[in-house]
Amino acid sequence: MRSWIARRTLRAFAKRYGYDVSYLLMMLNCSPSAFFKFAPVMKASAHREAVPIDASFAAKIVGALAEDCGPCTQLVVDMALEAGMPNDQVEAVLRRDPRAMNDATTLGFRFADAVVRRSANDDEFRDAVRAQWGQKGVIDLTLALQLGRMFPMVKAGLGYAKECRRVTVEGHNVDVVKQAA
């Protein structure tokens, strides 16, 4: 029964977001034990307690971009738009353009980018996040970043990351910049 509900939930998710969940269905079919241990990560990836939506999704997009070549990033972009992050903020993160970001997006983006690149100034951005939203803000952005990176890596590890695609925001292509020049 639990597997039937999970399969139905995954198919509904796939239909809602146009996202290929075949790697999760394979995991469910071949190792329900592994799937049900992994499933809580999906809920944890939605955690947000102290930071605004724009900061949280800026970190999630940076995480997806670090590990993915399109489909998982598109999923995060679609979820950001659905959550209410403005189009221009999503596009600014995808283009790595802090000049076009609001303050919350900029801080989420800079923190996540510093952590992903293992930058020497990650403490500077962590302190800025802590000053703005407290320790819960650091936790929010860390989970948003790192759990967002997990799905593309699991998909790749299972051999299902075979597709790359352009990322769109509300139907138009965005020239994604994956790393700073």
Short mmCIF file of all heavy atoms in Angstrom, two decimals, residues 2-28:
data_model
loop_
_atom_site.label_atom_id
_atom_site.label_comp_id
_atom_site.label_asym_id
_atom_site.label_seq_id
_atom_site.Cartn_x
_atom_site.Cartn_y
_atom_site.Cartn_z
N ARG A 2 1.90 1.27 0.87
CA ARG A 2 2.79 2.43 0.96
C ARG A 2 3.49 2.69 -0.37
O ARG A 2 3.62 3.84 -0.80
CB ARG A 2 3.79 2.20 2.09
CG ARG A 2 4.63 3.40 2.43
CD ARG A 2 5.35 3.22 3.71
NE ARG A 2 6.49 2.32 3.55
CZ ARG A 2 7.61 2.38 4.25
NH1 ARG A 2 7.73 3.29 5.20
NH2 ARG A 2 8.56 1.53 4.05
N SER A 3 3.92 1.64 -1.04
CA SER A 3 4.57 1.79 -2.34
C SER A 3 3.58 2.29 -3.40
O SER A 3 3.94 3.09 -4.25
CB SER A 3 5.19 0.45 -2.79
OG SER A 3 6.28 0.12 -1.96
N TRP A 4 2.37 1.82 -3.34
CA TRP A 4 1.34 2.27 -4.29
C TRP A 4 1.10 3.78 -4.13
O TRP A 4 1.04 4.51 -5.12
CB TRP A 4 0.03 1.49 -4.05
CG TRP A 4 -1.06 1.87 -4.99
CD1 TRP A 4 -1.27 1.41 -6.25
CD2 TRP A 4 -2.10 2.84 -4.73
NE1 TRP A 4 -2.37 2.01 -6.81
CE2 TRP A 4 -2.91 2.90 -5.90
CE3 TRP A 4 -2.43 3.64 -3.65
CZ2 TRP A 4 -4.02 3.72 -6.01
CZ3 TRP A 4 -3.54 4.47 -3.75
CH2 TRP A 4 -4.32 4.51 -4.91
N ILE A 5 1.01 4.24 -2.89
CA ILE A 5 0.81 5.68 -2.63
C ILE A 5 2.03 6.47 -3.12
O ILE A 5 1.88 7.52 -3.75
CB ILE A 5 0.55 5.94 -1.13
CG1 ILE A 5 -0.82 5.34 -0.74
CG2 ILE A 5 0.62 7.42 -0.80
CD1 ILE A 5 -1.08 5.30 0.75
N ALA A 6 3.22 5.95 -2.86
CA ALA A 6 4.45 6.64 -3.30
C ALA A 6 4.49 6.74 -4.82
O ALA A 6 4.82 7.79 -5.37
CB ALA A 6 5.67 5.92 -2.76
N ARG A 7 4.17 5.63 -5.50
CA ARG A 7 4.18 5.63 -6.97
C ARG A 7 3.17 6.66 -7.51
O ARG A 7 3.49 7.44 -8.41
CB ARG A 7 3.79 4.23 -7.47
CG ARG A 7 4.65 3.73 -8.57
CD ARG A 7 4.38 2.27 -8.93
NE ARG A 7 5.39 1.41 -8.32
CZ ARG A 7 5.20 0.63 -7.27
NH1 ARG A 7 4.04 0.50 -6.69
NH2 ARG A 7 6.20 -0.07 -6.79
N ARG A 8 2.01 6.69 -6.94
CA ARG A 8 0.97 7.63 -7.37
C ARG A 8 1.41 9.08 -7.12
O ARG A 8 1.22 9.96 -7.96
CB ARG A 8 -0.31 7.31 -6.61
CG ARG A 8 -1.47 8.13 -7.03
CD ARG A 8 -2.69 7.73 -6.24
NE ARG A 8 -3.75 8.67 -6.53
CZ ARG A 8 -4.99 8.36 -6.72
NH1 ARG A 8 -5.38 7.12 -6.62
NH2 ARG A 8 -5.88 9.27 -6.98
N THR A 9 2.04 9.32 -5.98
CA THR A 9 2.53 10.66 -5.63
C THR A 9 3.63 11.10 -6.60
O THR A 9 3.65 12.25 -7.06
CB THR A 9 3.04 10.69 -4.18
OG1 THR A 9 1.97 10.29 -3.31
CG2 THR A 9 3.54 12.07 -3.78
N LEU A 10 4.54 10.20 -6.92
CA LEU A 10 5.63 10.52 -7.85
C LEU A 10 5.09 10.84 -9.24
O LEU A 10 5.54 11.78 -9.90
CB LEU A 10 6.64 9.38 -7.93
CG LEU A 10 7.54 9.19 -6.72
CD1 LEU A 10 8.33 7.90 -6.84
CD2 LEU A 10 8.47 10.39 -6.54
N ARG A 11 4.12 10.05 -9.70
CA ARG A 11 3.54 10.31 -11.03
C ARG A 11 2.80 11.65 -11.07
O ARG A 11 2.86 12.37 -12.06
CB ARG A 11 2.64 9.14 -11.43
CG ARG A 11 3.45 7.90 -11.77
CD ARG A 11 2.60 6.76 -12.29
NE ARG A 11 3.45 5.63 -12.58
CZ ARG A 11 3.26 4.40 -12.12
NH1 ARG A 11 2.21 4.12 -11.37
NH2 ARG A 11 4.10 3.43 -12.43
N ALA A 12 2.13 11.98 -9.99
CA ALA A 12 1.44 13.29 -9.92
C ALA A 12 2.47 14.42 -9.94
O ALA A 12 2.26 15.45 -10.60
CB ALA A 12 0.57 13.36 -8.67
N PHE A 13 3.57 14.24 -9.21
CA PHE A 13 4.65 15.23 -9.19
C PHE A 13 5.24 15.40 -10.59
O PHE A 13 5.45 16.53 -11.05
CB PHE A 13 5.73 14.77 -8.19
CG PHE A 13 6.85 15.74 -8.01
CD1 PHE A 13 6.77 16.76 -7.07
CD2 PHE A 13 8.01 15.64 -8.78
CE1 PHE A 13 7.81 17.65 -6.90
CE2 PHE A 13 9.06 16.53 -8.61
CZ PHE A 13 8.95 17.53 -7.67
N ALA A 14 5.49 14.29 -11.26
CA ALA A 14 6.05 14.32 -12.62
C ALA A 14 5.12 15.08 -13.57
O ALA A 14 5.57 15.90 -14.38
CB ALA A 14 6.28 12.91 -13.13
N LYS A 15 3.84 14.84 -13.45
CA LYS A 15 2.87 15.50 -14.32
C LYS A 15 2.79 16.99 -14.00
O LYS A 15 2.75 17.83 -14.90
CB LYS A 15 1.50 14.85 -14.14
CG LYS A 15 0.45 15.40 -15.07
CD LYS A 15 -0.86 14.65 -14.88
CE LYS A 15 -1.91 15.24 -15.82
NZ LYS A 15 -3.19 14.57 -15.66
N ARG A 16 2.80 17.33 -12.73
CA ARG A 16 2.69 18.73 -12.30
C ARG A 16 3.84 19.58 -12.79
O ARG A 16 3.67 20.72 -13.22
CB ARG A 16 2.62 18.77 -10.77
CG ARG A 16 2.53 20.16 -10.20
CD ARG A 16 2.39 20.07 -8.70
NE ARG A 16 2.31 21.39 -8.10
CZ ARG A 16 2.17 21.59 -6.81
NH1 ARG A 16 2.05 20.57 -6.00
NH2 ARG A 16 2.13 22.81 -6.35
N TYR A 17 5.07 19.02 -12.69
CA TYR A 17 6.26 19.82 -13.02
C TYR A 17 6.93 19.43 -14.34
O TYR A 17 7.94 20.03 -14.71
CB TYR A 17 7.29 19.71 -11.89
CG TYR A 17 6.82 20.39 -10.63
CD1 TYR A 17 6.39 19.65 -9.54
CD2 TYR A 17 6.78 21.79 -10.54
CE1 TYR A 17 5.94 20.29 -8.38
CE2 TYR A 17 6.35 22.42 -9.39
CZ TYR A 17 5.93 21.66 -8.31
OH TYR A 17 5.49 22.29 -7.17
N GLY A 18 6.42 18.42 -15.03
CA GLY A 18 7.07 17.99 -16.26
C GLY A 18 8.47 17.47 -15.99
O GLY A 18 9.38 17.68 -16.79
N TYR A 19 8.65 16.79 -14.87
CA TYR A 19 9.97 16.33 -14.41
C TYR A 19 10.01 14.81 -14.46
O TYR A 19 9.08 14.14 -13.99
CB TYR A 19 10.21 16.84 -12.99
CG TYR A 19 11.53 16.43 -12.39
CD1 TYR A 19 12.71 17.00 -12.84
CD2 TYR A 19 11.59 15.49 -11.38
CE1 TYR A 19 13.93 16.65 -12.29
CE2 TYR A 19 12.80 15.14 -10.80
CZ TYR A 19 13.96 15.72 -11.26
OH TYR A 19 15.16 15.35 -10.71
N ASP A 20 11.10 14.27 -14.98
CA ASP A 20 11.27 12.83 -15.10
C ASP A 20 11.63 12.23 -13.73
O ASP A 20 12.71 12.48 -13.21
CB ASP A 20 12.38 12.54 -16.12
CG ASP A 20 12.62 11.04 -16.30
OD1 ASP A 20 11.81 10.22 -15.81
OD2 ASP A 20 13.64 10.71 -16.92
N VAL A 21 10.73 11.44 -13.20
CA VAL A 21 10.96 10.82 -11.88
C VAL A 21 11.31 9.34 -12.04
O VAL A 21 11.24 8.59 -11.06
CB VAL A 21 9.73 10.98 -10.95
CG1 VAL A 21 9.47 12.43 -10.63
CG2 VAL A 21 8.50 10.31 -11.56
N SER A 22 11.71 8.93 -13.24
CA SER A 22 11.97 7.50 -13.47
C SER A 22 13.07 6.97 -12.54
O SER A 22 13.03 5.81 -12.15
CB SER A 22 12.32 7.24 -14.93
OG SER A 22 13.42 8.01 -15.33
N TYR A 23 14.03 7.80 -12.17
CA TYR A 23 15.07 7.32 -11.25
C TYR A 23 14.49 7.03 -9.86
O TYR A 23 14.90 6.08 -9.20
CB TYR A 23 16.25 8.30 -11.18
CG TYR A 23 16.01 9.61 -10.47
CD1 TYR A 23 16.55 9.84 -9.21
CD2 TYR A 23 15.27 10.63 -11.06
CE1 TYR A 23 16.37 11.05 -8.57
CE2 TYR A 23 15.08 11.83 -10.42
CZ TYR A 23 15.62 12.04 -9.18
OH TYR A 23 15.43 13.25 -8.53
N LEU A 24 13.52 7.80 -9.45
CA LEU A 24 12.89 7.54 -8.15
C LEU A 24 11.96 6.33 -8.22
O LEU A 24 11.90 5.53 -7.28
CB LEU A 24 12.14 8.79 -7.68
CG LEU A 24 13.01 10.00 -7.38
CD1 LEU A 24 12.16 11.24 -7.17
CD2 LEU A 24 13.90 9.74 -6.16
N LEU A 25 11.27 6.19 -9.34
CA LEU A 25 10.42 5.01 -9.52
C LEU A 25 11.26 3.73 -9.56
O LEU A 25 10.88 2.71 -8.99
CB LEU A 25 9.58 5.15 -10.79
CG LEU A 25 8.45 6.18 -10.71
CD1 LEU A 25 7.86 6.45 -12.10
CD2 LEU A 25 7.36 5.73 -9.75
N MET A 26 12.42 3.79 -10.24
CA MET A 26 13.31 2.63 -10.28
C MET A 26 13.77 2.29 -8.86
O MET A 26 13.77 1.12 -8.46
CB MET A 26 14.52 2.92 -11.18
CG MET A 26 15.47 1.73 -11.34
SD MET A 26 16.63 1.47 -9.98
CE MET A 26 17.71 2.87 -10.16
N MET A 27 14.13 3.32 -8.08
CA MET A 27 14.57 3.08 -6.71
C MET A 27 13.44 2.43 -5.90
O MET A 27 13.67 1.46 -5.17
CB MET A 27 15.02 4.39 -6.04
CG MET A 27 15.63 4.18 -4.65
SD MET A 27 15.95 5.71 -3.72
CE MET A 27 17.05 6.59 -4.79
N LEU A 28 12.24 2.95 -6.08
CA LEU A 28 11.08 2.40 -5.36
C LEU A 28 10.84 0.95 -5.76
O LEU A 28 10.58 0.11 -4.90
CB LEU A 28 9.85 3.27 -5.64
CG LEU A 28 8.53 2.78 -5.04
CD1 LEU A 28 8.60 2.73 -3.52
CD2 LEU A 28 7.39 3.69 -5.49
#
